[in-house]
Amino acid sequence: MMPLRITENIHNWLFSVMPEGVASLVEMTLIAVVYLTIFAVAGLFLVLLERRVAAWFQLRIGPNRVGPQGLLQTMADAIKLLTKELTGTEKADKFLYNLAPYFVIISALMALAVIPFSAEFHAFDINIGIFFLIAISSIGVIGILLGGWSSNNKYALIGAMRSGVQTISYELSVGLSLLTMVVITGSLQLSEIIEVQKSGWLILQGHIPAAIAFMVFMISGTAETNRAPFDMVEAESELGAGFHTEYSGMKFAYFFLAEFINMFIISAIAATVFFGGWLSPFGITESIPELGVFWFLLKTMALVFLMMWFRWTFPRLRVDQLLTLEWKYLLPINLVNLVLMALLVWLNLTLRL
């Protein structure tokens, strides 16, 4: 019995009952609704998971009042933020102040669209997928810079300036670690990168250089999402709330939600590039494609837990330590690692070859 191809069936039905132009518009609207739903649900779940993990590490109970076992706590928080008054400073640049959160949220949504959840669940499969992700991830920092500057608050401005320095610095290591894996696959397209891994995950095919690239990617990805121990952008003990000090209600929620979605995106990219994405480690995904989403989410959530582990284990770095780690250690390691991977491929020493 052939597996049910839900997306293909919906596509064929829409084009059979509607004119082509209308069917295409309805199809794009459905895809947008699905991804917005994923965005909202994933954000609420990750906030709850963060609180649970934090409580576990700190020997606390965590959320346990709203709903069974506190499962509705984040939903209550979302309703609270929806009903809060939108405040701001009198001398803020109103246009840029209101525009900033949308840069952050839209860049996260665009990156999410390129992630392959399974062989069939992939909204935007382009041949420059890795390049697209690196480019889109650079847009989010514009929202942080605009929000910090337009708030007319010195703490917000300092947080925004730190974000610009930190994101631009660590993007180099993120890009080079992904480029190291592109060398072994010969493709920027995420679906082709997964196809290469049917004979084995890239972290195994690429030997030690692949393992080094993975470690550098996770460290740099954590820094790029402004999460502890790299949260100098929002250092509460110094800057209040950093770049979003003057934001409240849903505008604050956009920044807050984007951080968790970006954590999911970083983990999803790592799961796709290094661990085979939706491919099963036991080779059964091919016969049951619907299991692809399960394997993809399992790998991604394991890496999300790793990023949360970072946060609740290491103390916050100073600004000089943060930049020293990137420019004196991660970047040189990445450059040498890229050359090593190129030599492995040239000498046909990767496991795939």
PDB file of all heavy atoms in Angstrom, residues 132-145:
ATOM      1  N   PHE A 132      20.659  30.996   1.452  1.00  0.00           N
ATOM      2  CA  PHE A 132      19.439  31.731   1.797  1.00  0.00           C
ATOM      3  C   PHE A 132      19.289  31.860   3.314  1.00  0.00           C
ATOM      4  O   PHE A 132      18.980  32.932   3.834  1.00  0.00           O
ATOM      5  CB  PHE A 132      18.225  31.014   1.204  1.00  0.00           C
ATOM      6  CG  PHE A 132      16.907  31.673   1.505  1.00  0.00           C
ATOM      7  CD1 PHE A 132      16.430  32.701   0.703  1.00  0.00           C
ATOM      8  CD2 PHE A 132      16.126  31.257   2.577  1.00  0.00           C
ATOM      9  CE1 PHE A 132      15.216  33.313   0.976  1.00  0.00           C
ATOM     10  CE2 PHE A 132      14.922  31.867   2.854  1.00  0.00           C
ATOM     11  CZ  PHE A 132      14.459  32.897   2.050  1.00  0.00           C
ATOM     12  N   LEU A 133      19.539  30.770   4.034  1.00  0.00           N
ATOM     13  CA  LEU A 133      19.419  30.787   5.495  1.00  0.00           C
ATOM     14  C   LEU A 133      20.421  31.751   6.134  1.00  0.00           C
ATOM     15  O   LEU A 133      20.089  32.493   7.058  1.00  0.00           O
ATOM     16  CB  LEU A 133      19.615  29.377   6.053  1.00  0.00           C
ATOM     17  CG  LEU A 133      18.424  28.423   5.915  1.00  0.00           C
ATOM     18  CD1 LEU A 133      18.843  27.000   6.252  1.00  0.00           C
ATOM     19  CD2 LEU A 133      17.283  28.871   6.815  1.00  0.00           C
ATOM     20  N   ILE A 134      21.655  31.727   5.631  1.00  0.00           N
ATOM     21  CA  ILE A 134      22.681  32.635   6.176  1.00  0.00           C
ATOM     22  C   ILE A 134      22.297  34.089   5.907  1.00  0.00           C
ATOM     23  O   ILE A 134      22.446  34.960   6.777  1.00  0.00           O
ATOM     24  CB  ILE A 134      24.059  32.313   5.565  1.00  0.00           C
ATOM     25  CG1 ILE A 134      24.523  30.915   6.005  1.00  0.00           C
ATOM     26  CG2 ILE A 134      25.086  33.357   5.974  1.00  0.00           C
ATOM     27  CD1 ILE A 134      25.764  30.428   5.289  1.00  0.00           C
ATOM     28  N   ALA A 135      21.770  34.357   4.695  1.00  0.00           N
ATOM     29  CA  ALA A 135      21.391  35.728   4.340  1.00  0.00           C
ATOM     30  C   ALA A 135      20.199  36.205   5.169  1.00  0.00           C
ATOM     31  O   ALA A 135      20.197  37.338   5.694  1.00  0.00           O
ATOM     32  CB  ALA A 135      21.048  35.792   2.849  1.00  0.00           C
ATOM     33  N   ILE A 136      19.192  35.347   5.317  1.00  0.00           N
ATOM     34  CA  ILE A 136      17.989  35.731   6.059  1.00  0.00           C
ATOM     35  C   ILE A 136      18.296  35.951   7.537  1.00  0.00           C
ATOM     36  O   ILE A 136      17.753  36.850   8.184  1.00  0.00           O
ATOM     37  CB  ILE A 136      16.890  34.656   5.883  1.00  0.00           C
ATOM     38  CG1 ILE A 136      16.302  34.725   4.471  1.00  0.00           C
ATOM     39  CG2 ILE A 136      15.791  34.817   6.914  1.00  0.00           C
ATOM     40  CD1 ILE A 136      15.643  36.044   4.139  1.00  0.00           C
ATOM     41  N   SER A 137      19.188  35.128   8.086  1.00  0.00           N
ATOM     42  CA  SER A 137      19.519  35.269   9.507  1.00  0.00           C
ATOM     43  C   SER A 137      20.182  36.617   9.794  1.00  0.00           C
ATOM     44  O   SER A 137      20.190  37.080  10.945  1.00  0.00           O
ATOM     45  CB  SER A 137      20.436  34.132   9.954  1.00  0.00           C
ATOM     46  OG  SER A 137      21.708  34.228   9.316  1.00  0.00           O
ATOM     47  N   SER A 138      20.732  37.244   8.761  1.00  0.00           N
ATOM     48  CA  SER A 138      21.378  38.552   8.942  1.00  0.00           C
ATOM     49  C   SER A 138      20.365  39.680   9.061  1.00  0.00           C
ATOM     50  O   SER A 138      20.705  40.772   9.533  1.00  0.00           O
ATOM     51  CB  SER A 138      22.310  38.845   7.764  1.00  0.00           C
ATOM     52  OG  SER A 138      23.234  37.804   7.568  1.00  0.00           O
ATOM     53  N   ILE A 139      19.132  39.432   8.626  1.00  0.00           N
ATOM     54  CA  ILE A 139      18.129  40.499   8.627  1.00  0.00           C
ATOM     55  C   ILE A 139      17.605  40.768  10.033  1.00  0.00           C
ATOM     56  O   ILE A 139      17.298  41.905  10.392  1.00  0.00           O
ATOM     57  CB  ILE A 139      16.961  40.138   7.678  1.00  0.00           C
ATOM     58  CG1 ILE A 139      17.469  40.074   6.233  1.00  0.00           C
ATOM     59  CG2 ILE A 139      15.833  41.156   7.796  1.00  0.00           C
ATOM     60  CD1 ILE A 139      16.415  39.651   5.234  1.00  0.00           C
ATOM     61  N   GLY A 140      17.514  39.707  10.857  1.00  0.00           N
ATOM     62  CA  GLY A 140      16.965  39.862  12.196  1.00  0.00           C
ATOM     63  C   GLY A 140      17.681  40.902  13.029  1.00  0.00           C
ATOM     64  O   GLY A 140      17.055  41.630  13.819  1.00  0.00           O
ATOM     65  N   VAL A 141      19.004  40.999  12.863  1.00  0.00           N
ATOM     66  CA  VAL A 141      19.783  41.954  13.669  1.00  0.00           C
ATOM     67  C   VAL A 141      19.407  43.397  13.321  1.00  0.00           C
ATOM     68  O   VAL A 141      19.538  44.288  14.156  1.00  0.00           O
ATOM     69  CB  VAL A 141      21.302  41.722  13.460  1.00  0.00           C
ATOM     70  CG1 VAL A 141      21.751  42.149  12.076  1.00  0.00           C
ATOM     71  CG2 VAL A 141      22.093  42.475  14.522  1.00  0.00           C
ATOM     72  N   ILE A 142      18.889  43.623  12.110  1.00  0.00           N
ATOM     73  CA  ILE A 142      18.447  44.978  11.749  1.00  0.00           C
ATOM     74  C   ILE A 142      17.294  45.403  12.654  1.00  0.00           C
ATOM     75  O   ILE A 142      17.235  46.545  13.116  1.00  0.00           O
ATOM     76  CB  ILE A 142      18.016  45.024  10.261  1.00  0.00           C
ATOM     77  CG1 ILE A 142      19.213  44.726   9.359  1.00  0.00           C
ATOM     78  CG2 ILE A 142      17.405  46.376   9.925  1.00  0.00           C
ATOM     79  CD1 ILE A 142      18.867  44.649   7.891  1.00  0.00           C
ATOM     80  N   GLY A 143      16.368  44.456  12.938  1.00  0.00           N
ATOM     81  CA  GLY A 143      15.266  44.770  13.834  1.00  0.00           C
ATOM     82  C   GLY A 143      15.741  45.113  15.230  1.00  0.00           C
ATOM     83  O   GLY A 143      15.211  46.028  15.876  1.00  0.00           O
ATOM     84  N   ILE A 144      16.757  44.391  15.698  1.00  0.00           N
ATOM     85  CA  ILE A 144      17.299  44.664  17.038  1.00  0.00           C
ATOM     86  C   ILE A 144      17.974  46.040  17.064  1.00  0.00           C
ATOM     87  O   ILE A 144      17.788  46.820  18.002  1.00  0.00           O
ATOM     88  CB  ILE A 144      18.280  43.556  17.452  1.00  0.00           C
ATOM     89  CG1 ILE A 144      17.533  42.227  17.608  1.00  0.00           C
ATOM     90  CG2 ILE A 144      19.003  43.914  18.741  1.00  0.00           C
ATOM     91  CD1 ILE A 144      18.427  41.042  17.891  1.00  0.00           C
ATOM     92  N   LEU A 145      18.752  46.342  16.030  1.00  0.00           N
ATOM     93  CA  LEU A 145      19.414  47.654  15.956  1.00  0.00           C
ATOM     94  C   LEU A 145      18.400  48.785  15.885  1.00  0.00           C
ATOM     95  O   LEU A 145      18.532  49.810  16.566  1.00  0.00           O
ATOM     96  CB  LEU A 145      20.344  47.696  14.742  1.00  0.00           C
ATOM     97  CG  LEU A 145      21.623  46.851  14.834  1.00  0.00           C
ATOM     98  CD1 LEU A 145      22.304  46.764  13.476  1.00  0.00           C
ATOM     99  CD2 LEU A 145      22.578  47.433  15.867  1.00  0.00           C
TER     100      LEU A 145
END
